[in-house]
Amino acid sequence: MKHGYIKAAALSPKVKVADAKYNTQLIIQQAQEAAGQGAKILVFPELCITGYSCGDLFLQELLLQEAKNGLFEIAEKTARLDAIIFVGLPLAYMGKLYNVAAALHRGAVLGIIPKVYLPNYAEFYEARHFSRGMRKAVPVALREDAIVPMGTDQMFVCTSMPKLRIAAEICEDVWAPNPPSTRHALAGADLIVNLSASDEAAGKSQYRRDLIAGQSARLLCGYIYANASDGESTQDVVYAGQSMVAENGVILKEAPRFGNGAVYTELDMEKLDAERRRMSTFELDGAADYTAVPFSLDISETKLTRFIDPAPFVPGRKADRERRCEEILSIQAMGLKKRLEHTGCQYAVVGISGGLDSTLALLVTARAFDLAGLSRSQILAVTMPGFGTTDRTYDNAVSLIASLGAQFREISIRGAVTTHFSDIGHDPSKHDITYENSQARERTQILMDLANQVNGLVVGTGDMSELALGWATYNGDHMSMYGVNASVPKTLVRHLVRYFADSCGDEKLAGVLSDVLDTPVSPELLPPQEGLISQKTEDIVGPYELHDFFLYYVLRFGYVPEKIYRLAEAAFAEDYDKQTVLKWMKTFYKRFFSQQFKRSCLPDGPKVGTVAVSPRGDLRMPSDAQARIWLDEVERMQGVSG
C-alpha cells in the first residue's frame, strides 16, 4: 500500500440458485485466489451466498439459516487472509428480512449494511420479501459470540492506511436519485463498494458503466462494483457479470459481460485524497453520525499492474484524441476571437519560426479569424531570420504562411542585433545567454512595434511546458498580447498540429505541417552546423515527454517525487533507465521553482485542460519558494538508485 495504492478485486462467482452450501465454498475459493493475487479489498455480488434470484424461497427459514451459516464459514475459512471481504446474503432481524452486505475481516464479521432502495417495478419485486434498511447502526446478535452493528451509516476505517475509508451500498441504491454513497462520501468515505445483481437489457450495460463512472467522479472516490453473473436464474432475465472498478470518473478495469470471474486493479487513495483537498466545494458533513469500524491491513508495497500512461495530457485512443484536439483548437480560437472583438483589433501579428509552437499559434489564429469573419490576409505573419535560422525552418515558415493565406513579412534581425551587441559592448563571437536572449528580445520588439503600426494584437506562441521550465526569454518570447498556447503542453502541441494536418484537406499544407513535426525542437539562437540545427532543446533541458509527465503529477495531484518517479519508472521502462529519469526530474524541480517569476507575469491566454500555470488561475505560487525538500528527496533516490 506504498504511495496510497491498494489492490482491489470485484468477483462474480457462478453461483447455484438457493444452494448456499455450494456458493459458500465457491466464495471461499475465490476469496483465497483473490488474496493470493495480492487483493486487499474483495467485493462479491448482492445476495451471493444464496443467489439473488431465489424469489419466494427467501421466505424459507432453512435457506436463511444456511445463508447465515455460510457467512460464518466464509469468515472462518478466510481468517488468515490479509483482506477485507464484502459478501451478500438475506438476513432476518426483528421479524423482518433484509438484503444485506456483510464486511468480513480476519475471521470476524465487522458489520452488516442493509439495502436502502428496494426496486419493486418491472422485473423487480424485492419489496415482496425485504424491508428497507435502517440508517443508524444498531447492534445485532448474529449468534451468541457475534454481536455486530447493522445499518447503512457505517465507515470501515483502515488504521494502517488512514486514507482508506470504506462504505457500502447495494445495487439499486446507486440508481436512486439520492444514493447512500453520496452521504457516505460526504461523511468521509473515499471508497464505495457496491454488491449488485443488475440484470441485462439492450443498452443497459453502457448506462450502468456511465453511472458507476459518474458516481465515482461526482464523489471523488473509488468505486468497486461487483455484479451477479450467469449462475443466476434465467427464468425471465439474464445476468452478465459486468463488474468494474472506477476511480474518480475513470473505469480502471471492467469484466467482460456474460462470463464469471474477477477483475483486479490498484486504487490510488492518495490521488483521491488530493482531489478532495483541492476541491473546495467538497464539504464533509455527517461524519459524527456514522459508526466507525476499525480494521487493519498489511502495509507492504502493492505491485502496480494498472496502466500508467506516459502521456497523461494526450488521450490514448485515436477517436478520443481527435475529439480532444478539435475541442482544444476551438477553445484557443474562441479565446483569441473574443480578445480581438473586445480590443477592436482587425489585425493579428504572429512571429513564425517554422517550429511547432509558432505553427500551432498561426493555425489557431487562422481559425479565430475565420470565426470572427475576418480575412486571413489581416494576419501579419512575420519570419525573422537570425544567426541560428536554418533553410529548413525558414522554408517551412514561408510555405506555412502562404498555405494559410496570411500576409507574409520577412524582417532579418541580424543587423539590428549586431548593432545592439556593439551598443552594449558584447563580443558577437561569445555565444552565451546574452547572445541568445538579445535575438529573442529583438524579435519581440519587432512584433510589438508592427502591432502598433497596424493596430493589431501580438499572438504569443510559447507553450505550457516551456513556461513550466522557464525555457523562455524574459520579455522576449515570454511576452505577447494574448498567449494562445499558454496552457498547452509540448506533448499535446505535437498532436494538435498532427490533427490539423490530417483533417485540413489541403495536401500542400499537410506536407508542410508534417515536416514541421519532423523538425527537432530548437530556439535556433546558435549558428547552424553544416546547415543543420545545432541547438536542440531536449538535449539541454531534457525530454519534454518526461517533463510533461512530471508536470502533470506535480500540479494535478501534488505527488511526492518518490511516487512520481515510481510512476515514471513504470511508464517509461522501455525508454529511459532509472538514473536518466532521476537526472531530468532533478532538472525539472530546479527549473520549476527557480523560474516562477516568469510565470507570475504571464500574458492572458485560454485554459484548455485541468493543469495550467496562469498566476491568475491555477498556480498561485510565490516566485521565491524554495525547492529544497523536493530536491533532497530526488537526491536521496539518486543515491539509492546509484
Side-chain angles (χ1 to χ4, degrees), residues 333 336-338 340-341 346 366-375:
L336 179 57
K337 170 180 174 287
K338 169 63 178 177
L340 290 167
E341 291 174 345
Q346 299 289 303
R367 180 179 282 214
F369 269 59
D370 293 346
L371 290 170
L374 298 172
S375 170

Side-chain angles (χ1 to χ4, degrees), residues 601-618:
C601 55
L602 285 181
D604 292 354
K607 177 180 176 178
V608 302
T610 56
V611 175
V613 294
S614 169
R616 296 168 296 277
D618 292 69

Side-chain angles (χ1 to χ4, degrees), residues 561-562 582 585-586 589-590 593 626-640:
E562 186 180 49
L582 288 171
M585 178 180 278
K586 189 173 183 178
Y589 279 110
K590 281 183 175 179
F593 275 85
Q626 297 296 312
R628 177 176 177 176
I629 59 175
W630 289 269
L631 290 174
D632 284 351
E633 184 163 314
V634 176
E635 288 171 358
R636 177 184 60 78
M637 288 189 292
Q638 283 181 315
V640 172

Side-chain angles (χ1 to χ4, degrees), residues 587-607:
T587 296
F588 173 83
Y589 279 110
K590 281 183 175 179
R591 296 194 66 97
F592 181 73
F593 275 85
S594 68
Q595 301 294 299
Q596 172 62 20
F597 72 97
K598 294 180 182 177
R599 299 188 291 269
S600 291
C601 55
L602 285 181
D604 292 354
K607 177 180 176 178

Side-chain angles (χ1 to χ4, degrees), residues 357-474:
D357 290 342
S358 65
T359 294
L360 176 59
L362 184 57
L363 295 173
V364 169
T365 304
R367 180 179 282 214
F369 269 59
D370 293 346
L371 290 170
L374 298 172
S375 170
R376 291 187 182 181
S377 65
Q378 292 167 239
I379 302 171
L380 184 54
V382 189
T383 181
M384 295 167 283
F387 304 124
T389 303
T390 61
D391 290 343
R392 181 181 187 181
T393 53
Y394 174 81
D395 291 342
N396 281 338
V398 173
S399 298
L400 177 67
I401 295 167
S403 296
L404 289 171
Q407 182 184 156
F408 173 77
R409 186 79 175 269
E410 178 178 338
I411 302 174
S412 173
I413 66 168
R414 296 185 184 96
V417 174
T418 299
T419 300
H420 179 63
F421 287 159
S422 176
D423 291 341
I424 66 173
H426 182 76
D427 182 356
S429 66
K430 187 178 181 182
H431 297 168
D432 58 4
I433 191 170
T434 303
Y435 180 89
E436 295 186 32
N437 286 349
S438 293
Q439 297 174 70
R441 293 194 179 100
E442 178 60 27
R443 286 179 171 133
T444 300
Q445 176 178 260
I446 289 170
L447 296 175
M448 293 289 183
D449 292 344
L450 285 175
N452 291 158
Q453 281 186 337
V454 299
N455 189 30
L457 183 147
V458 176
V459 177
T461 62
D463 63 55
M464 183 169 67
S465 303
E466 294 177 342
L467 293 170
L469 295 171
W471 190 251
T473 299
Y474 195 90

